[in-house]
Amino acid sequence: MTTIDVAVLGATGMVGQQFVARLGNHPWFNVTRLAASERSEGKRYEEATVWRLPTPMPEAVRNLMVDACVPGRGPKVVFSALEAGVAGEVEEAFARAGHIVLSNARNHRLDPLVPLLVPEINSDHLSILAEQRRVKGWSGAIVTNPNCSTVVLVMALAPLQRFGLTSAVVSTMQAVSGAGYPGVPSYDILGNLVPHIGGEEEKIETETLKILGSDGGRTMHTMVVSAHTSRVPVIDGHTMTVSVQVEAKAELDDVREAFTRFSGRPQELGLPTAPVPAIILHEEPNRPQPRLDADLGGGMAVSVGRLRTCPVLSYRFVAMGHNTVRGAAGASILNAELMQAELQCLS
Ligand code: NAP
């Protein structure tokens, strides 16, 4: 197929850089426009950006001029890594002007007419796009991906749906890259743990129910989620301990099999960045660990380990995933691949 031109909004930030890196060698997408704030506008990308990834900045983008976030210009397909303070209005203006916006920000995730997509779990939620267009009057669209902890939790819960999920208690240990740059001051986080991340617990508790819900996400799942969130001195990879209650208590071997056999539309369609397997079940007692496991499956696989029964609820385990890849840029790119494969709406 011929490649599809795409833009990245918020291209200079932590998530924006992941977009630029991952799109740099993508077989379907070609970055032709980069946009950010007034601070960066009019500068070459390499001048405007303090590159913070271990892989080099792709040659093709070094000399691209960073543009303002003005809709109506450039490619139809727009990946957004904008700060939430501006993302709401800017993304909507792009959708109104005919762009397909793949958003990482929280602003539109709980809008009942905006898909909150995890392609392995709820690819059918794309069906609400027709109604989104009709009701909102947009000639484009907005599709979102979840909060960086929610996606790890929901990927680990989805295989257990067959047993009837009723409740889950999750405690997160979240990496500093999840707070953007410069993020949490080093004096606060080094040798320490900060047991509060503003707004994060509510996002995990609500987004999970929309993703696992029905009718395009308009009917929330009935399970109850209780979240505790903490920031820890880890660079990349959000780890969480999860205890879950199910209706039909199964043998641990059945739960193990549910994790290892889990896959969805991205794997069936062979999408370019679909991880195979989608979930990696670790049997070693000291895994998963963010430093060792965050990059598995190109950063797109979710790791689960320490699976055992729970004396309070049914089962307990540890889950971990890469927060700026599966939890952000990689998730948006997989959403775009799914939309093109299923609806051919990006070209
Ligand atoms: P970040 O490093 O602070 O980057 C923010 C980006 O937004 C920069 O490119 C910045 O451009 C741009 N920006 C700020 N104000 C703007 C304005 N008024 N107009 C246009 N552009 C503006 O943040 P991040 O961690 O990459 O997060 C980006 C988004 O993804 C946020 O909504 C965040 O909640 C979400 N998210 C992050 C993660 C994660 O793990 N980090 C995970 C999931 C979702 P300049 O450089 O020009 O200022």
Side-chain angles (χ1 to χ4, degrees), residues 5 24 103 105 144 156 160 206 317 319 321 325:
D5 288 347
S103 165
T144 58
L160 309 182
T206 51
F317 53 85
V325 180

Side-chain angles (χ1 to χ4, degrees), residues 219-250:
T219 306
M220 298 279 200
H221 195 285
T222 53
M223 78 177 297
V224 184
V225 177
S226 169
H228 310 252
T229 55
S230 295
R231 189 76 68 193
V232 292
V234 161
I235 299 291
D236 290 319
H238 289 353
T239 305
M240 56 197 68
T241 58
V242 185
S243 287
V244 60
Q245 178 82 44
V246 295
E247 279 163 11
K249 204 167 173 197

Side-chain angles (χ1 to χ4, degrees), residues 10 12-15 36-37 39-40 81-84 86 104 177-178 180 323 327:
T12 50
M14 292 298 295
V15 174
S37 76
R39 185 193 68 77
S40 311
L82 285 173
E83 196 178 277
V86 292
N104 269 280
S177 59
N323 53 293

Side-chain angles (χ1 to χ4, degrees), residues 8-13 15-16 19 35-37 68-69 78-92 94 101-107 109:
V8 179
L9 309 183
T12 50
V15 174
F19 271 121
S37 76
C69 293
V78 169
F79 292 101
S80 169
L82 285 173
E83 196 178 277
V86 292
E89 279 181 25
V90 173
E91 291 172 355
E92 206 171 314
F94 271 77
V101 182
L102 294 123
S103 165
N104 269 280
R106 65 168 185 265
N107 310 64
R109 286 183 193 143

Side-chain angles (χ1 to χ4, degrees), residues 166-195:
T166 57
S167 60
V169 179
V170 55
S171 294
T172 70
M173 290 146 275
Q174 301 185 207
V176 290
S177 59
Y181 187 88
V184 190
S186 56
Y187 195 87
D188 290 343
I189 196 69
L190 287 176
N192 202 14
L193 174 153
V194 182

